[in-house]
Amino acid sequence: MRFAADGVALVLELPEGSLPRVVHWGRDTGDLTDVDLTALGRVTSAPNAANGLDEPHRVAVLPEAWSGWTGTPGLAGHRLGRAWSPRFRPDQTASVVTTEGLGGSARVHATDVDAGLGLDLEIEMLPSGVVRLRAEVTNLEDAPYVVDGLHLALPVPGHADEVLDLAGRWAKERVPQRGPFRVGSHLREGRHGRTGADAVTVLLAGEAGFDFDRGEVWGLHVGFSGNHRSIAERVHTGERLLLGGELLLPGEVVLGGGESYVSPFVYASYGDGLDASAGRFHQLLRARESHPATPRPVVMNVWEAVYFDHELDTLRALADHAAEVGVERFVLDDGWFAGRRDDTAGLGDWSVSEAVWGGGRFGQLVEHVSALGMEFGLWFEPEMVSPDSDLAREHPEWMLQVPGRLPAPFRHQQVLDLTHDGAFRHVRDRMVALVREYGIRFVKWDHNRDLVDAGSTRTLRAGVHEQTLAAYRLMAEIRQACPELEIESCSSGGARVDLGILEHTDRVWASDCIDAHERQQIQRWTAQLLPPELVGSHVGAPEAHTTGRRLDLDFRAATALFGHFGIEWDLGAASQQERRELAAWIEFYKEHRELIHTGRVVRRSSEGGALWLHGAVAPDRTRALYSVTLLERPVTWPVARVRLAGLADDVVYRITPAGPALGEHTPDPKVLPAWWTPDGADLPGAVLSRVGVDVPALLPDHTALILVTRVDGTDDEAATERSGT
């Protein structure tokens, strides 16, 4: 069986009496007959040279120990020691749907009568070429069955010699790390109860030296916002697998008779180069019905402008400045609700603070913002509760805990157990009431602590699994009650960035660090999973609050440009000249956001990683916008020519300098290349992408923007003639 889409093929083997096995996942093989598929299975069956199994088996999508597999098992569980090694046998013909060139799906139902277990497997190739897997295990007996783990696997070939994933911490998320694909397990566990600032994001295996534009790569992502596991495993018999699934705490899932556990979706993307692999994830997300369909509005969040110091006149003045520079959405952050004068109290008491906002002042701020033509947004942290709050005092049993002790203090807050019906309804009803009363259009949904010792007083079990599902349900019910509301996933910055949370939200906050130098890397690698329109990217103050680094406005704005653009800066402290320059950048963003938010992302680096290219190329390749950023001083000077990736070879393009920082430049051979004029230069895409262009002599932490547009009159016939010459 072969599924194919967008140049990728997934070839499955459905052996009688065994679970599905992957024969090939990667570059499309072209059409295969049944005879071809049989022959492919034979030529990809390794000889039995390891002094092992008499009849070796290809590893199944759900690896099973009975087959001789000694790596990570697909299903780990037991009935007080029994049924610990199931053997599933499909009990009916697989349900297979294929759509020529757009992928397809296979659904397999299997049982192990002796173990008393049922299994349903879903294997899909989506039109983007992304493979999506999910499994459901059902207890067919009355006796309880403990699920310890459920992992799904895809093989990668022997020339996938390197592994790349991401690490990080608060305010420095998504730091790439790579190394050889060694024998053993490269195991990345997320035990934060949320995705984690150190999350692997996408676990990649590829050819040695793979880069953004070259080398086959295979990537896996676990689409879940709680504990999870990502594994790159190479065993002594030669198999190399990427596996993923939820990380279940001891006793967290115990199935009664007839009950089921459904794994999160595991997503997998193949590409020739990191950009191609990332592009499939972007295509998948952009094809969703729930994907934002309107232009992404310019956001102003007031957190770094005022912190907890909320005062009506100050915020009205900030709103005036925001409207003046072109902001379209004004967001009031933490500190607006009862008892919340700092971060030690008040979470859970979701009512407007009378001490700060009494006398109708909160409504006056909302009306002022709306009168300026901006949407009003508000910060919540719905899954958390302060021990110093009315809610915690009234319902101490609503805090996740091991009976008899609260979890270790973390940001002066605990986790509200949303599996308690009363807690769930309290948050849902308060949020819905506030959204409706004040016409709130946007919620910054924060999540500021790890789920440590996260037990339920309701079940006395570990509660991360159920809490994660309850959080999804809470978001879904609020969105259903308030269909025009947009939600941002923020979690101490970028600690909840995954495809599970994005089923319920409209963007993520990539990091609490908006230092543009740091953000270059954070956004560059967030793009391995998410397209820019889903990633909040703001212009901060001249001196970054998290690092103390001082950067000029043009660099800060050019960095924020390639995301969902916003501001996190006290504009009252900015000069009139700074506000004028910011307004020009906002106008530039509005002019080009459609291109940035629908275009194909391209990334390159040169000069030993000192010079970075980032670009957005229109789907029809008629336009492109590139940023060229110097992050460090290179060994030689000036830098080498930059090749503009992603353009059509036979189309003539005009390249011009771009951005508000351009001004009226007179070419200075010490700083600017000869073409760096408003007229630019006209060249075929083949020249721009293979020969490249010289760029300005940038100082570190500075960016130049290049706009590329198809020259009028260039058509396919002319392109063909040019190609012929």
Side-chain angles (χ1 to χ4, degrees):
M1 176 194 314
R2 168 183 167 270
F3 302 133
D6 198 30
V8 183
L10 180 73
V11 180
L12 288 175
E13 180 182 57
L14 298 175
E16 184 176 353
S18 297
L19 295 179
R21 306 163 184 170
V22 174
V23 177
H24 170 74
W25 167 43
R27 188 174 289 133
D28 194 0
T29 56
D31 291 335
L32 297 174
T33 66
D34 289 343
V35 173
D36 293 334
L37 290 170
T38 300
L40 178 61
R42 293 178 59 207
V43 301
T44 58
S45 296
N48 186 17
N51 193 28
L53 295 169
D54 292 337
E55 296 181 5
H57 292 265
R58 197 188 309 274
V59 182
V61 170
L62 183 87
E64 296 176 289
W66 72 264
S67 69
W69 171 248
T70 56
T72 300
L75 175 63
H78 62 96
R79 300 183 192 276
L80 296 178
R82 295 191 302 109
W84 57 274
S85 179
R87 175 175 183 173
F88 288 105
R89 300 175 185 272
D91 56 10
Q92 59 188 25
T93 304
S95 173
V96 178
V97 176
T98 59
T99 306
E100 186 62 34
L102 296 175
S105 64
R107 286 170 169 77
V108 176
H109 179 71
T111 56
D112 182 335
V113 175
D114 294 330
L117 297 174
L119 178 72
D120 288 280
L121 282 175
E122 298 177 44
I123 306 166
E124 298 177 271
M125 173 169 278
L126 303 168
S128 61
V130 169
V131 176
R132 187 168 70 172
L133 311 171
R134 185 166 66 175
E136 178 178 3
V137 61
T138 301
N139 182 10
L140 303 178
E141 293 185 1
D142 292 334
Y145 181 80
V146 179
V147 180
D148 292 323
L150 185 57
H151 300 90
L152 296 168
L154 285 168
V156 296
H159 59 281
D161 282 327
E162 289 187 343
V163 174
L164 183 148
D165 60 9
L166 303 177
R169 57 179 174 84
W170 175 75
K172 195 172 180 64
E173 295 88 345
R174 281 167 291 287
V175 178
Q177 55 183 16
R178 69 192 294 166
F181 199 152
R182 294 187 174 92
V183 173
S185 294
H186 178 76
L187 170 64
R188 294 293 307 278
E189 293 187 334
R191 292 181 175 268
H192 300 284
R194 51 180 174 166
T195 319
D198 61 345
V200 63
T201 309
V202 181
L203 176 60
L204 294 143
E207 293 182 279
F210 67 86
D211 207 334
F212 294 114
D213 60 337
R214 64 182 182 275
E216 290 186 281
V217 291
W218 294 261
L220 178 139
H221 170 77
V222 179
F224 192 64
S225 308
N227 294 335
H228 58 282
R229 305 176 89 219
S230 302
I231 308 167
E233 191 158 60
R234 180 181 177 191
V235 300
H236 74 284
T237 49
E239 292 96 337
R240 305 178 192 212
L241 300 182
L242 298 179
L243 304 96
E246 183 180 2
L247 188 158
L248 294 172
L249 297 176
E252 195 165 25
V253 174
V254 180
L255 301 179
E259 293 182 340
S260 299
Y261 164 74
V262 181
S263 76
F265 276 117
V266 173
Y267 297 84
S269 179
Y270 164 83
D272 191 356
L274 290 165
D275 281 354
S277 177
R280 298 193 191 284
F281 284 125
H282 299 179
Q283 185 181 342
L284 164 70
L285 289 162
R286 287 170 170 171
R288 302 171 300 158
E289 289 185 7
S290 62
H291 195 71
T294 58
R296 297 295 75 213
V298 178
V299 177
M300 180 171 183
N301 185 285
V302 304
W303 176 243
E304 289 195 359
V306 300
Y307 290 102
F308 289 103
D309 188 14
H310 288 197
E311 202 279 328
L312 178 59
D313 290 342
T314 299
L315 287 163
R316 278 199 293 213
L318 273 174
D320 291 339
H321 289 310
E324 175 192 354
V325 300
V327 168
E328 297 160 307
R329 175 180 286 162
F330 186 87
V331 182
L332 184 65
D333 212 290
D334 194 357
W336 57 268
F337 49 98
R340 188 69 165 179
R341 304 285 67 78
D342 55 33
D343 67 354
T344 65
L347 289 173
D349 297 340
W350 300 113
S351 59
V352 175
S353 171
E354 284 296 317
V356 177
W357 292 106
R361 291 196 295 274
F362 190 82
Q364 292 172 32
L365 176 63
V366 176
E367 290 171 3
H368 186 78
V369 168
S370 299
L372 292 168
M374 296 183 291
E375 296 177 1
F376 186 79
L378 195 60
W379 179 96
F380 287 88
E381 194 166 2
E383 298 153 81
M384 302 294 153
V385 59
S386 299
D388 184 6
S389 67
D390 291 341
L391 184 66
R393 285 184 283 270
E394 292 171 10
H395 291 285
E397 77 281 7
W398 286 358
M399 290 185 282
L400 285 172
Q401 59 194 276
V402 172
R405 69 169 191 259
L406 284 177
F410 195 122
R411 288 288 301 268
H412 309 288
Q413 63 192 60
Q414 296 292 341
V415 183
L416 187 67
D417 186 353
L418 295 175
T419 71
H420 278 278
D421 184 59
F424 184 95
R425 286 187 288 105
H426 166 79
V427 176
R428 181 198 62 196
D429 295 349
R430 288 305 305 142
M431 289 185 68
V432 168
L434 286 162
V435 168
R436 288 175 172 172
E437 180 178 0
Y438 294 105
I440 294 165
R441 298 292 299 276
F442 175 84
V443 164
K444 179 179 178 179
W445 187 302
D446 218 335
H447 183 289
N448 275 313
R449 71 156 289 161
D450 288 350
L451 275 62
V452 176
D453 265 1
S456 171
T457 62
R458 185 179 55 82
T459 65
L460 303 184
R461 293 179 182 166
V464 173
H465 169 75
E466 292 294 338
Q467 176 75 3
T468 306
L469 300 183
Y472 289 160
R473 190 172 72 254
L474 178 62
M475 293 178 186
E477 291 193 14
I478 291 172
R479 293 285 290 269
Q480 184 177 17
C482 308
E484 294 187 350
L485 181 69
E486 291 193 4
I487 297 176
E488 173 185 61
S489 170
C490 176
S491 186
S492 305
R496 192 151 67 173
V497 175
D498 61 81
L499 297 189
I501 202 67
L502 275 164
E503 291 184 16
H504 305 281
T505 59
D506 301 279
R507 77 172 204 169
V508 301
W509 184 230
S511 178
D512 281 343
C513 180
I514 47 178
D515 173 333
H517 178 91
E518 301 288 342
R519 270 295 187 124
Q520 285 279 334
Q521 176 169 277
I522 291 166
Q523 292 170 195
R524 187 175 184 82
W525 288 102
T526 301
Q528 196 57 41
L529 181 66
L530 303 185
E533 64 270 25
L534 298 180
V535 182
S537 181
H538 291 185
V539 179
E543 182 175 308
H545 288 209
T546 51
T547 66
R549 186 183 277 119
R550 294 192 65 86
L551 299 165
D552 68 25
L553 175 55
D554 289 333
F555 180 57
R556 285 152 35 221
T559 299
L561 182 68
F562 288 89
H564 183 176
F565 190 94
I567 304 162
E568 195 125 356
W569 178 14
D570 181 1
L571 294 183
S575 68
Q576 288 187 349
Q577 178 61 26
E578 286 175 317
R579 290 197 292 270
R580 281 194 293 268
E581 292 175 5
L582 179 59
W585 275 105
I586 290 173
E587 186 60 32
F588 185 79
Y589 164 77
K590 291 177 180 178
E591 181 182 354
H592 295 286
R593 62 184 161 189
E594 187 271 338
L595 168 61
I596 295 168
H597 294 166
T598 62
R600 182 164 63 91
V601 172
V602 295
R603 299 163 293 177
R604 300 290 187 271
S605 63
S606 59
E607 301 292 353
L611 190 73
W612 284 4
L613 174 82
H614 184 98
V617 181
D620 62 3
R621 297 198 287 183
T622 58
R623 295 178 299 145
L625 181 65
Y626 299 94
S627 69
V628 181
T629 300
L630 189 69
L631 293 171
E632 306 290 344
R633 298 180 69 208
V635 174
T636 60
W637 190 251
V639 297
R641 286 190 297 268
V642 171
R643 294 182 291 180
L644 304 181
L647 303 175
D649 282 356
D650 297 323
V651 171
V652 176
Y653 295 96
R654 177 161 298 151
I655 60 168
T656 56
L662 177 60
E664 295 296 329
H665 289 297
T666 301
D668 179 350
K670 292 183 179 180
V671 178
L672 301 174
W675 71 269
W676 199 265
T677 68
D679 294 332
D682 293 358
L683 284 167
V687 174
L688 297 173
S689 62
R690 296 171 189 169
V691 178
V693 300
D694 281 314
V695 296
L698 298 168
L699 295 173
D701 288 335
H702 283 73
T703 291
L705 297 178
I706 300 172
L707 182 64
V708 178
T709 55
R710 179 171 173 158
V711 174
D712 290 342
T714 301
D715 55 24
D716 294 337
E717 182 178 349
T720 301
E721 292 177 0
R722 174 178 289 276
S723 178
T725 61

